[in-house]
Amino acid sequence: AQSVTQPDIHITVSEGASLELRCNYSYGATPYLFWYVQSPGQGLQLLLKYFSGDTLVQGIKGFEAEFKRSQSSFNLRKPSVHWSDAAEYFCAVGVTGGGNKLTFGTGTQLKVEL
Amino acid sequence: NAGVTQTPKFQVLKTGQSMTLQCAQDMNHEYMSWYRQDPGMGLRLIHYSVGAGITDQGEVPNGYNVSRSTTEDFPLRLLSAAPSQTSVYFCASRRTRERSNEQFFGPGTRLTVL
């Protein structure tokens, strides 16, 4: 069965510092991978997605993610974090079957220190 | 477009009460789904629908019913509320069942069962 692991529950970075959020997936077929962000009290917003092609994908708000098949990873990065990036981040894999649902990781809570 | 809307935003129920969480989308999306979000567990799929008149179970369907009589609406019914159903509920939609389609989320309903 498919699964997504986000090993870091909480991460704290200083404003202006670089950020990397880790995501590892387990899925037997070609993965469709997503990163979503959830601000407090809000729904989820798509940051970026990977289906095929270039393994480095660019998203909104200056985020990017790199797909590494050999490591089953899809880590999210940002060169310089802003205070407004404080939120919870979810990695997800789109699977076939079951209505082609999304399977989510447990999320990483990002805190930004000024 | 209003996107995906959910009502109510907050609800408190007593054990054994029933209620319906409303979800509507105005994007003519075929695929709609309900998730619940619990701390440390990410989002888990409750039920989904790939079109009007078609619904199926997700990972955690027990205690919930759904129907899809129109493309726009996908209500979630709690038949007899239990404290274990205290959670934040998100409705989501995407254009088709294709994995590559972006999934759009509503703002959520925070439910407390006493």
Side-chain angles (χ1 to χ4, degrees):
Chain A
Q2 70 283 347
S3 65
V4 177
T5 301
Q6 294 180 248
D8 303 306
I9 299 173
H10 299 279
I11 283 185
T12 300
V13 300
S14 299
E15 189 175 38
S18 63
L19 171 71
E20 182 169 30
L21 302 183
R22 295 183 291 166
C23 172
N24 293 97
Y25 68 91
S26 173
Y27 185 54
T30 302
Y32 284 34
L33 296 161
F34 304 81
W35 273 100
Y36 282 85
V37 61
Q38 184 183 29
S39 298
Q42 303 296 314
L44 279 73
Q45 180 185 22
L46 181 68
L47 284 176
L48 47 78
K49 58 187 178 183
Y50 169 79
F51 302 141
S52 63
D54 194 347
T55 56
L56 183 65
V57 293
Q58 303 296 321
I60 62 172
K61 305 185 180 187
F63 285 92
E64 67 178 26
E66 186 171 13
F67 170 62
K68 293 184 177 180
R69 186 183 295 275
S70 63
Q71 299 177 19
S72 298
S73 69
F74 188 55
N75 294 348
L76 182 71
R77 301 194 294 246
K78 187 170 185 178
S80 177
V81 170
H82 188 263
W83 64 267
S84 60
D85 293 325
E88 190 157 21
Y89 292 80
F90 292 94
C91 182
V93 61
V95 302
T96 57
N100 294 340
K101 66 175 185 175
L102 286 181
T103 294
F104 284 86
T106 53
T108 297
Q109 187 72 47
L110 174 64
K111 180 180 177 182
V112 180
E113 290 183 333
L114 301 176
Chain B
N1 286 349
V4 181
T5 58
Q6 293 183 237
T7 56
K9 286 186 180 291
F10 301 94
Q11 183 70 49
V12 178
L13 294 177
K14 295 181 180 178
T15 297
Q17 287 184 314
S18 63
M19 79 159 295
T20 299
L21 279 63
Q22 301 292 343
C23 173
Q25 52 89 11
D26 61 358
M27 299 174 281
N28 200 32
H29 285 176
E30 292 181 357
Y31 181 98
M32 296 185 74
S33 54
W34 277 101
Y35 292 85
R36 59 177 290 172
Q37 183 181 30
D38 301 293
M41 303 189 75
L43 281 79
R44 293 180 292 168
L45 183 66
I46 304 172
H47 285 286
Y48 66 94
S49 168
V50 298
I54 307 170
T55 64
D56 207 343
Q57 297 180 350
E59 302 171 64
V60 288
N62 292 343
Y64 307 95
N65 274 359
V66 292
S67 60
R68 184 99 180 268
S69 55
T70 67
T71 299
E72 294 78 20
D73 301 299
F74 191 44
L76 178 72
R77 296 183 187 84
L78 280 70
L79 308 173
S80 178
S84 61
Q85 293 178 304
T86 294
S87 187
V88 181
Y89 291 85
F90 288 99
C91 180
S93 74
R94 67 179 190 236
R95 188 169 56 84
T96 71
R97 63 185 300 166
E98 289 300 317
R99 291 188 291 159
S100 57
N101 292 162
E102 177 181 351
Q103 191 149 245
F104 293 85
F105 286 82
T109 294
R110 186 173 295 273
L111 175 68
T112 301
V113 182
L114 302 175

